[in-house]
Amino acid sequence: MKGFVRAALAAVRPVDVLPSPNIWHWPEVYEVENRAQDVDGVIWSALREECDWAGRDVVDVGCGDGFHLPVFAREARSVIGVEPHPPLVQRARARVVDVPNAEAVAGPAQRLPLRDATADLVHARTAYFFGPGCEPGLREADRVLRPGGALAIVDLDGLAEPYGPWLCADEPRYNPVDVERFFADQGFSLRRVRALWRFERRADLEAVLRIEFSEGVAEKAIARTPGLSFEVGYRVHVRRKPAGIVLP
């Protein structure tokens, strides 16, 4: 995934926002991708088991065009999507214009435009939190979480066939083992899930792979993927903010 690996490797540079070369440039194709991802809802089920958001206040960091906001809003008391790219903020606002308990605001993960202790769940899905370098965002998430609240990071599993090897082939410097070690050292749990991506048309599948990977990797992935579907491995990392005094 072009955006994923570049963000992971560039996170240590002093930049607020690293452009995402998939959704920023092809939002319509990315919409197709979002609809195809996790058609059986296994990621949502894992999230609900780890940190149920029913009746609670949710923040979705790096919400893009707001695809996940209405899903949270069905059960949450409130949901706020935070997105740094202005055109995507506008698309997210349009998506939730008729959803009374959801909104989208502009801002980077490193400086969330939210008050302290206002969220029960901070969620990020394949956005910003890619490993070493995301510490400012981790601190911001802790700031806006209430005691006992959870930070849930849904990330691609670079070790899981077939998508993980395509991901690593695009950027050999990206090391999924090091990334997992980073999150473990930061106190996160790890849960692996496999989600089915299923497309309505073969042309949609090919278009999505072409915005996610460099040309050579995309063509190999397309050649290895018959039909309209394939599985993608994810990691669900969760860390809770202590509810009381933490003694040394």
Side-chain angles (χ1 to χ4, degrees):
M1 176 182 279
K2 291 179 282 189
F4 179 91
V5 293
R6 290 176 188 171
L9 293 166
V12 295
R13 295 203 302 255
V15 294
D16 268 351
V17 181
L18 188 73
S20 174
N22 42 35
I23 191 172
W24 281 34
H25 300 299
W26 293 281
E28 289 79 14
V29 178
Y30 204 83
E31 177 76 11
V32 172
E33 178 176 338
N34 269 326
R35 292 198 304 267
Q37 290 185 29
D38 192 20
V39 292
D40 297 320
V42 296
I43 297 174
W44 289 110
S45 295
L47 278 173
R48 187 173 286 103
E49 291 174 8
E50 296 286 339
C51 40
D52 188 10
W53 57 89
R56 298 176 181 175
D57 298 310
V58 177
V59 174
D60 188 14
V61 178
C63 72
D65 63 3
F67 186 83
H68 298 117
L69 301 183
V71 182
F72 281 117
R74 292 172 198 156
E75 300 176 61
R77 177 167 52 192
S78 70
V79 55
I80 299 175
V82 182
E83 168 57 42
H85 188 45
L88 293 178
V89 176
Q90 294 303 315
R91 292 175 69 100
R93 287 173 175 166
R95 191 186 294 274
V96 298
V97 67
D98 294 322
V99 183
N101 61 333
E103 63 178 305
V105 299
Q110 305 94 318
R111 294 191 306 278
L112 297 174
L114 305 170
R115 298 190 306 274
D116 295 357
T118 54
D120 301 297
L121 171 63
V122 174
H123 164 270
R125 189 172 305 200
T126 60
Y128 177 78
F129 296 96
F130 298 126
C134 74
E135 292 88 346
L138 296 178
R139 290 192 292 270
E140 274 292 270
D142 280 343
R143 179 183 66 79
V144 303
L145 280 172
R146 298 184 177 110
L151 169 57
I153 297 170
V154 180
D155 199 2
L156 292 162
D157 187 348
L159 300 176
E161 293 274 0
Y163 203 94
W166 300 338
L167 177 72
C168 295
D170 239 2
E171 182 45 76
R173 293 173 295 171
Y174 175 72
N175 188 325
V177 175
D178 289 345
V179 172
E180 290 187 14
R181 184 178 301 114
F182 168 82
F183 283 113
D185 290 344
Q186 294 290 328
F188 285 84
S189 63
L190 167 61
R191 178 169 177 170
R192 300 185 194 275
V193 298
R194 291 187 66 83
L196 181 67
W197 289 23
R198 186 169 60 230
F199 297 83
E200 295 182 359
R201 303 184 306 151
R202 177 70 185 181
D204 291 339
L205 180 150
E206 295 183 5
V208 164
L209 290 176
R210 288 190 174 108
I211 71 166
E212 290 295 357
F213 300 110
S214 59
E215 182 177 359
V217 173
E219 295 309 315
K220 290 179 181 177
I222 290 168
R224 287 192 52 194
T225 309
L228 299 175
S229 63
F230 53 88
E231 283 194 330
V232 176
Y234 288 86
R235 301 189 312 263
V236 179
H237 298 283
V238 177
R239 184 176 75 182
R240 290 198 171 274
K241 184 173 181 176
I245 298 174
V246 178
L247 298 176

